[in-house]
Amino acid sequence: MTLASAALQPPVSAPAVVLTIAGSEATGGAGAQADLKTFQELGVFGIANLTCIVSFDPNDNWNHRFVPVDQQVIADQLEATTAAYGPASGAASESASGEPSAPGRPVLDTVKIGMLGSPATISTVAAALESGRFRNVVLDPVLICKGQEPGHALDTDQALKAQILPLATFVTPNHFEAESLSGLAITDVESLKAAAVRIHELSGAAVLAKGGVRLAGPDAVDVYYDGETLEVLSAPKVGEVAVSGAGCSLAAAVTAELAKGATPLEAARAAKDFVTAGIRNRVASGAPFDALWQGGAR
């Protein structure tokens, strides 16, 4: 075998393919950047379709500067991605010899939904999800964008709950989002459990409700519930301040593990460990927040 022919040999085992539909975050700590780094670290092939461009404004209390991506551009990204990797792409494609053109080609059936940012974008993405191409739909329900007008933010929240939440198979709300989705005040682990149960009842999805550093006590506590199993996941807190990218990376880690064949509970446990290591080895910056490092578990 020549070097040239060896280079053309397919890998022994192709990686799972996963998609994040999310915003770009300029400092690299959160959003699609965090998702792609998480995917790579966990051994899956990551694709990002961008919904918006977000950059913090250091001259305005580090509020978000939010620029939506044009709806046709979002639709074009989704069309290209699903054509290249979706279940129907190449499934019947054959070479001239009649053999499949890409034997062993992985199929994209797992997607993570991050910041969508507007009702129009939510409708565009919901249409893609309703096609039924995705077996796993992990929703990180970003309900607010700091700096958005209140009316616009409320419209976005309501559209997300109405159009995206019912399509999710796994939901990863933070403390604020869990309160908003469940309608419950969360002050301790018991109320976090109640919120996780309520969100499952509303969505039918597995839920990993994040208490994180928001709840008093020495541990960062999250609650998993899927309609049958309720499990508290806890780890010692690493500081008392939230770290940029922790929520994005948790949902992305769940996404990666599901794509590799883990059960939802296994994915939740692995994601919790991954994020805890990333927070422990976080990256400091000149911004008033640190960023999770996806390589922290190495």
Side-chain angles (χ1 to χ4, degrees), residues 24-290:
S24 168
E25 195 276 281
T27 70
Q33 288 89 331
D35 294 343
L36 290 176
K37 287 182 281 189
T38 298
F39 294 156
Q40 187 74 14
E41 196 69 29
L42 293 178
V44 298
F45 181 83
I47 303 168
N49 287 183
L50 297 183
T51 58
C52 56
I53 310 297
V54 174
S55 58
F56 294 104
D57 186 351
N59 300 309
D60 182 25
N61 196 33
W62 293 84
N63 280 323
H64 293 81
R65 293 178 287 204
F66 174 86
V67 179
V69 171
D70 181 83
Q71 294 309 301
Q72 186 60 54
V73 175
I74 295 172
D76 290 348
Q77 292 177 83
L78 292 166
E79 179 187 41
T81 299
T82 53
Y85 293 103
S89 65
S93 176
E94 297 183 347
S95 65
S97 64
E99 294 297 321
S101 61
R105 182 187 63 82
V107 172
L108 170 63
D109 65 0
T110 300
V111 59
K112 181 219 162 184
I113 309 298
M115 177 174 281
L116 300 180
S118 73
T121 296
I122 287 167
S123 294
T124 299
V125 172
L129 297 180
E130 287 168 351
S131 68
R133 292 175 182 269
F134 299 104
R135 179 171 54 92
N136 301 306
V137 177
V138 179
L139 172 62
D140 186 15
V142 183
L143 295 180
I144 58 170
C145 181
K146 187 180 178 185
Q148 278 185 310
E149 292 297 325
H152 178 84
L154 180 60
D155 290 344
T156 300
D157 293 357
Q158 292 174 339
L160 187 78
K161 293 172 186 176
Q163 297 181 57
I164 303 295
L165 184 62
L167 302 175
T169 62
F170 200 120
V171 187
T172 63
N174 64 20
H175 182 273
F176 169 81
E177 294 156 356
E179 287 190 327
S180 178
L181 292 175
S182 68
L184 302 175
I186 299 172
T187 57
D188 53 23
V189 176
E190 291 306 311
S191 52
L192 186 62
K193 290 178 182 177
V197 170
R198 179 62 179 146
I199 295 167
H200 170 76
E201 291 172 346
L202 291 170
S203 65
V207 178
L208 183 58
K210 299 171 285 186
V213 298
R214 307 295 182 190
L215 301 183
D219 293 335
V221 177
D222 306 327
V223 170
Y224 172 87
Y225 183 68
D226 61 10
E228 296 181 356
T229 300
L230 190 151
E231 183 167 319
V232 176
L233 307 177
S234 64
K237 288 180 180 177
V238 184
E240 293 288 340
V241 179
V243 174
S244 175
C248 300
S249 299
L250 184 84
V254 167
T255 305
E257 295 301 324
L258 290 174
K260 293 188 293 184
T263 67
L265 179 56
E266 290 169 342
R269 291 170 176 166
K272 175 72 171 179
D273 291 342
F274 178 84
V275 166
T276 299
I279 293 173
R280 186 178 299 115
N281 295 283
R282 59 190 180 273
V283 178
S285 74
F289 47 80
D290 295 335

